[in-house]
């Protein structure tokens, strides 16, 4: 190849190749989970509970607020943040602190520990279809576990940089994490008369850039047929929808 032509080819290859690389910038997990002392997010909370001996699914309404309280260290001496949860029945009532959690940015992941259960909420790279084992720190497969429904979850990124509207709040850029979607047998209200053992596990979360978690939908149930010793549904559900933040 002529030397001058070779130089021109190399020049344009570097020009467009480097330009393409500059445009392909992966976002850090901190963009979607900022940990800053004093930051808060307020949610409407719909708590789904089974009543009437497990035959009726009712919804109880609350408001909760997660506040980044102060920096502390975990049992591995890693610096993270204490998260305080406040709760009230509605906006006319004062906040009452009822819960604490722990959040940690490792540099490439976000770990969130609540009720002694550690979840890997976000992982780099934030790309469509990227997946990870978000509950890998949780003992959910043993015969004595209290949380068998958390076993084997495969978190997957979906709808990267998508806009969203929640309670009249417009969000420019969000990501969705699909965490679990499993069911065996007839689901609740779908075929109740079919007296079979069934279970459902569903979990999905949305995060907004510069804000954090803005939406969570979790549901778990197990149905025991009438011929068992304890018939009816057991389980619970949670729907969190952001209504305010700073």
């Amino acid at each position: 190849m002529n030397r001058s032509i070779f130089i021109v080819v190399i020049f344009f290859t570097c020009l467009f190749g480097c330009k393409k690389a500059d445009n392909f910038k992966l976002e850090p997990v901190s963009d979607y989970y900022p940990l800053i002392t004093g930051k808060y997010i307020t949610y409407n909370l719909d708590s789904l509970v089974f009543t009437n001996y497990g035959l009726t699914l009712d919804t109880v309404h609350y408001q909760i607020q997660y506040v980044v309280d102060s920096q502390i260290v975990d049992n591995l001496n890693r610096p993270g943040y204490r998260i305080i949860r406040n709760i009230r029945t509605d906006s006319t009532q004062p906040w009452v602190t009822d819960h604490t959690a722990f959040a940690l940015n490792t540099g490439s992941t976000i770990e969130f520990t609540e009720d002694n259960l550690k979840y890997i909420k976000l992982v780099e790279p934030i790309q469509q279809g990227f997946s990870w084992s978000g509950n890998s720190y949780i003992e959910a497969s043993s015969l004595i576990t209290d949380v068998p429904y958390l076993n084997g979850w495969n978190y997957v990124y979906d709808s990267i940089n998508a806009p969203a509207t929640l309670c009249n709040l417009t969000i420019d850029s969000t990501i969705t994490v699909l965490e679990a979607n499993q069911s065996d047998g007839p689901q609740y209200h779908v075929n109740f008369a079919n007296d079979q053992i069934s279970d459902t596990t569903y979990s999905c979360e949305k995060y907004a850039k510069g804000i954090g978690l803005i939406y969570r939908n979790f549901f778990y149930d197990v149905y025991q047929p009438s011929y068992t010793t304890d018939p009816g549904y057991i389980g619970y559900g949670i729907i969190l929808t952001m209504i305010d933040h700073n």
Side-chain angles (χ1 to χ4, degrees):
M1 181 184 291
N2 183 281
R3 179 177 176 84
S4 60
I5 296 176
F6 176 77
I7 293 174
V8 170
V9 170
I10 293 297
F11 171 77
F12 281 103
T13 299
C14 291
L15 176 64
F16 291 106
C18 294
K19 187 174 182 179
K20 182 177 180 181
D22 288 340
N23 291 334
F24 187 69
K25 294 181 180 179
L26 297 177
E27 298 171 305
V29 288
S30 58
D31 280 4
Y32 290 91
Y33 208 111
L35 289 170
I36 304 169
T37 300
K39 179 170 180 56
Y40 69 83
I41 304 177
T42 307
Y43 306 89
N44 282 332
L45 166 62
D46 294 332
S47 178
L48 310 177
V49 293
F50 285 102
T51 59
N52 189 27
Y53 300 99
L55 300 180
T56 304
L57 184 62
D58 290 332
T59 303
V60 183
H61 303 285
Y62 300 95
Q63 287 186 347
I64 65 171
Q65 184 182 76
Y66 281 100
V67 182
V68 181
D69 177 51
S70 59
Q71 192 172 59
I72 58 176
V73 296
D74 66 1
N75 57 356
L76 298 177
N77 206 36
R78 299 179 300 171
Y81 288 85
R82 178 189 291 113
I83 310 296
I84 291 178
R85 189 181 80 170
N86 300 318
I87 190 168
R88 63 188 180 186
T89 53
D90 57 60
S91 59
T92 67
Q93 302 299 313
W95 289 112
V96 176
T97 299
D98 75 331
H99 198 72
T100 61
F102 178 78
L104 170 68
N105 184 341
T106 69
S108 60
T109 68
I110 296 293
E111 296 179 4
F112 184 77
T113 304
E114 188 172 29
D115 297 327
N116 294 317
L117 301 174
K118 183 193 295 186
Y119 305 86
I120 307 172
K121 290 295 189 178
L122 298 176
V123 172
E124 295 178 8
I126 299 177
Q127 291 180 308
Q128 179 74 25
F130 185 81
S131 64
W132 68 99
S133 180
N135 298 351
S136 58
Y137 288 115
I138 300 173
E139 176 48 69
S141 60
S142 70
L143 295 177
I144 60 173
T145 181
D146 293 327
V147 288
Y149 52 88
L150 296 180
N151 186 43
W153 286 20
N154 185 49
Y155 292 32
V156 182
Y157 283 130
D158 186 42
S159 303
I160 305 297
N161 292 325
T165 301
L166 295 173
C167 297
N168 297 321
L169 296 176
T170 300
I171 313 299
D172 292 332
S173 181
T174 71
I175 57 176
T176 299
V177 181
L178 305 176
E179 298 175 342
N181 188 7
Q182 175 273 330
S183 63
D184 292 311
Q187 299 180 28
Y188 182 73
H189 286 322
V190 174
N191 193 8
F192 187 83
N194 191 351
D195 209 14
Q196 302 177 20
I197 296 175
S198 66
D199 65 84
T200 302
T201 305
Y202 176 80
S203 187
C204 172
E205 296 184 336
K206 288 182 181 291
Y207 296 83
K209 183 180 292 185
I211 299 175
L213 178 70
I214 62 170
Y215 178 79
R216 182 188 182 200
N217 188 344
F218 167 84
F219 183 75
Y220 162 71
D221 75 7
V222 174
Y223 176 67
Q224 299 291 340
S226 59
Y227 55 80
T228 61
T229 57
D230 190 18
Y233 280 94
I234 61 171
Y236 69 102
I238 293 172
I239 299 177
L240 287 180
T241 306
M242 184 186 73
I243 57 174
D244 187 30
H245 70 93
N246 66 352

